[in-house]
Amino acid sequence: MEAPQANDATSFHVGVVGLGYVGTVTAACLSSVGHVVYGFEQDPSKIAKLKAGISPFYEPGLDALLGAEVKANRLTILRDIDPLIAELDIVLICVGTPTGPDGAHDCGQLERVCEDLASALRRSPRQKPLTIAIRSTVVPGTSQDLRTRFFKDIPGIDFAYVPEFLREGTAIKDFFDPGLVVVGADDDASARVALAVYAGIDAPKRLMTVRAAEMVKGVCNAFHALKTAFANETGSLAAACGIDPEELMSVICQDTRLNISTAYLKPGFAFGGSCLPKDIRALNHLARANRLALPLYTSILPSNAEHLHRAAERVIAAGFQRAGLIGLSFKSHTDDMRESSSLQLAAILKAASVEVRAFDPDIRAEMLHGANLRAMEEVFVAGRTALVPKLEDLLGWADSLVVTKPASPDTIARIRSSGLAIVDVTRIAAQAEGVPEP
């Protein structure tokens, strides 16, 4: 594969510490887009191979790219960083963070690198700032902890976090043609350098806080694992019912408006309604009837219930006595209250001795009948009287407002200017962008 050439990207002196899978690919690719790259590695056998232009592991196209960069002296392989620390503009740390005995990342290698790097910096006659960017997979707060522990007394050090999304077998393509380049930085200097290093990569760049960027990689992998597990459990259930799993999932994937899309992927309140809970229960019953254990499917409703209880706990723990719910139906633009999470929230609050009333612009109390009226009366003894006709009636009564579903801009403005405590479980701040609902 022919690597893209840098045109107007600024050339930096880049140090890559740890020449394992991520480090070697990163070093070779950054070198090929015009940076002066130094790769640092402690393993003598790896160093020997890398200096000969040979990758210590198999990755399609990497030997050719690595060999060309080393031969052209654009990529230099070294053991010690001390002699060059004063020349570097940025150091990318790419050491492993394997699973520890307790399930957490083992950051031992990362800590040792930071300790060695800090010692080298103290000995260095360096006169220009240095950006330290971690690429190792870590949890939020790790970069700040390392910065405080090892670099607090060293001036001119900026910190960034640049997660990697390299898949084994397609790593070079993923580097040069990523869906997104993420840079975590909490100050302008580190953001400028880290983004400029990737200027030669033609892809959208997303600047985030360091803590948010640290969480991105793990969440991406969790989502990939979730999709794989969902496809496998669905396929198993389909096969048990005499259905072709490939045919079924191909139809699921064909819908790019709701299924394979950004719909439902924005944090908000718990789901409810007449369809989602009912169908999940039916599929779980079908699995049991076929003697199938589907842990992912069986976890969906308990997960939703936990999210609902977390919202209730925010109100209860704050000590509010009169909670005004903004929204009572299961989603906007309907008066359907069957299995409404808002009604379930009201029931939990009432059981904790919190008085509850609600305002919902989509519900007219006098029109309630059948299942909707029964759902209301199961929670509110007073039935229709718990649903106030005007927002002002709620604002004049409540000591807190609990926003359980998206509201109009006018309603949001009145809520915010009410002076009442607001428990926003549906993220009204994000509603301008449109939060999809079940």
Side-chain angles (χ1 to χ4, degrees):
M1 175 178 180
E2 184 178 351
Q5 298 301 306
N7 296 319
D8 56 353
T10 301
S11 177
F12 286 91
H13 284 73
V14 179
V16 178
V17 179
L19 297 179
Y21 187 86
V22 172
T24 301
V25 173
T26 298
C29 291
L30 285 179
S31 170
S32 73
V33 295
H35 299 299
V36 178
V37 180
Y38 301 93
F40 301 97
E41 173 58 49
Q42 296 296 304
D43 186 334
S45 62
K46 277 188 183 180
I47 292 174
K49 289 179 180 178
L50 291 164
K51 283 187 173 182
I54 301 171
S55 170
F57 52 85
Y58 175 67
E59 175 64 32
L62 183 56
D63 274 353
L65 180 61
L66 180 67
E69 296 306 307
V70 170
K71 184 177 181 180
N73 294 319
R74 291 186 292 262
L75 171 59
T76 304
I77 309 300
L78 299 163
R79 178 184 175 86
D80 298 318
I81 199 170
D82 288 53
L84 286 165
I85 193 70
E87 304 300 322
L88 299 177
D89 299 297
I90 185 170
V91 172
L92 299 169
I93 303 178
C94 302
V95 296
T97 50
T99 300
D102 60 353
H105 291 129
D106 181 348
C107 293
Q109 294 182 65
L110 188 55
E111 292 171 346
R112 285 190 291 274
V113 167
C114 286
E115 185 175 17
D116 292 344
L117 188 55
S119 296
L121 286 166
R122 291 188 185 95
R123 293 190 295 267
S124 170
R126 179 181 57 94
Q127 295 184 1
K128 65 179 181 178
L130 175 69
T131 297
I132 297 173
I134 296 174
R135 273 175 77 73
S136 308
T137 303
V138 298
V139 296
T142 302
S143 294
Q144 182 58 52
D145 176 63
L146 294 170
R147 184 175 193 172
T148 300
R149 288 168 58 193
F150 297 105
F151 303 96
K152 185 177 181 179
D153 62 331
I154 304 175
I157 300 299
D158 300 308
F159 247 75
Y161 184 80
V162 185
E164 55 84 15
F165 303 100
L166 306 177
R167 296 169 297 171
E168 294 185 30
T170 59
I172 295 176
K173 181 182 185 301
D174 290 343
F175 191 97
F176 290 136
D177 186 27
L180 185 68
V181 172
V182 174
V183 170
D186 294 331
D187 56 76
D188 291 341
S190 52
R192 178 184 59 79
V193 175
L195 285 169
V197 166
Y198 286 86
I201 305 301
D202 184 16
K205 311 293 195 303
R206 180 65 184 268
L207 182 62
M208 314 176 72
T209 65
V210 170
R211 291 181 70 90
E214 286 174 321
M215 196 167 184
V216 163
K217 174 64 184 300
V219 172
C220 284
N221 281 344
F223 190 40
H224 302 332
L226 179 68
K227 289 185 287 185
T228 302
F230 176 78
N232 287 337
E233 287 196 1
T234 301
S236 296
L237 184 57
C241 296
I243 298 166
D244 180 358
E246 292 293 335
E247 181 183 21
L248 177 64
M249 286 307 298
S250 70
V251 172
I252 300 300
C253 294
Q254 190 172 352
D255 177 4
T256 57
R257 178 175 297 177
L258 296 179
N259 289 348
I260 310 302
S261 72
T262 59
Y264 310 120
L265 287 175
K266 293 186 178 180
F269 193 36
F271 64 77
S274 61
C275 294
L276 270 60
K278 172 177 68 74
D279 289 348
I280 292 166
R281 283 192 288 267
L283 288 169
N284 280 318
H285 179 271
L286 183 62
R288 290 193 298 272
N290 283 278
R291 298 182 180 180
L292 284 174
L294 302 182
L296 183 59
Y297 270 80
T298 56
S299 72
I300 295 173
L301 292 179
S303 172
N304 195 55
E306 285 297 325
H307 194 60
L308 176 63
H309 281 276
R310 283 191 292 270
E313 185 56 35
R314 289 172 60 186
V315 180
I316 296 168
F320 298 125
Q321 297 300 309
R322 298 187 306 279
L325 266 61
I326 309 295
L328 205 56
S329 62
F330 88 94
K331 71 171 186 175
S332 298
H333 311 305
T334 180
D335 62 359
D336 192 346
M337 288 187 285
R338 290 174 293 174
E339 298 212 42
S340 163
S341 294
S342 298
L343 266 180
Q344 295 174 52
L345 175 62
I348 296 170
L349 294 178
K350 285 172 62 65
S353 300
V354 179
E355 291 186 70
V356 181
R357 293 182 187 175
F359 166 73
D360 193 315
D362 299 318
I363 301 175
R364 287 188 293 169
E366 68 275 12
M367 298 296 291
L368 291 175
H369 65 279
N372 271 347
L373 181 58
R374 288 193 297 273
M376 166 83 83
E377 291 177 337
E378 284 177 4
V379 175
F380 296 104
V381 176
R384 292 181 176 90
T385 60
L387 185 67
V388 301
K390 295 183 296 184
L391 179 60
E392 286 74 17
D393 297 331
L394 204 62
L395 301 182
W397 171 84
D399 63 2
S400 60
L401 299 175
V402 185
V403 186
T404 62
K405 72 177 189 180
S408 69
D410 176 65
T411 298
I412 292 173
R414 290 156 70 191
I415 290 170
R416 287 174 168 163
S417 64
S418 68
L420 297 173
I422 299 174
V423 180
D424 176 17
V425 300
T426 195
R427 299 176 69 251
I428 59 174
Q431 286 179 31
E433 302 172 9
V435 178
E437 296 181 274

